[in-house]
Amino acid sequence: QQAVRKLVDALGWGVVVLHDAKGMFDETHPAFIGTYSPFYTSPVSVRELYEAADAILFVGECCCSIR
């Protein structure tokens, strides 16, 4: 988790976590945007940011199909 935080701080990117990863990134961190799930209702702002992103960096294991 500390390595991810350092990467986020260095890149200056916003962070959206998937529903299954909720709690894996400090939600009080200034870069934290919210939680996204293609299978559950996400706030519109989080969904729009995720779907409009120019780049997405996934960290950890992903064993599902994500749009």
Side-chain angles (χ1 to χ4, degrees), residues 10-34:
L11 294 174
W13 289 5
V15 174
V16 173
V17 298
L18 296 178
H19 187 263
D20 291 343
K22 189 163 175 50
M24 294 301 294
F25 189 83
D26 180 6
E27 295 183 12
T28 63
H29 190 282
F32 183 76
I33 296 170

Side-chain angles (χ1 to χ4, degrees), residues 3-15 25 29 31:
V4 173
R5 184 187 51 76
K6 286 181 179 182
L7 178 63
V8 167
D9 290 341
L11 294 174
W13 289 5
V15 174
F25 189 83
H29 190 282

Side-chain angles (χ1 to χ4, degrees), residues 41-64:
T41 302
S42 296
V44 173
S45 58
V46 173
R47 187 175 332 120
E48 288 174 349
L49 285 170
Y50 175 86
E51 293 175 355
D54 291 327
I56 298 173
L57 172 66
F58 288 97
V59 176
E61 182 178 341
C62 182
C63 57
C64 61

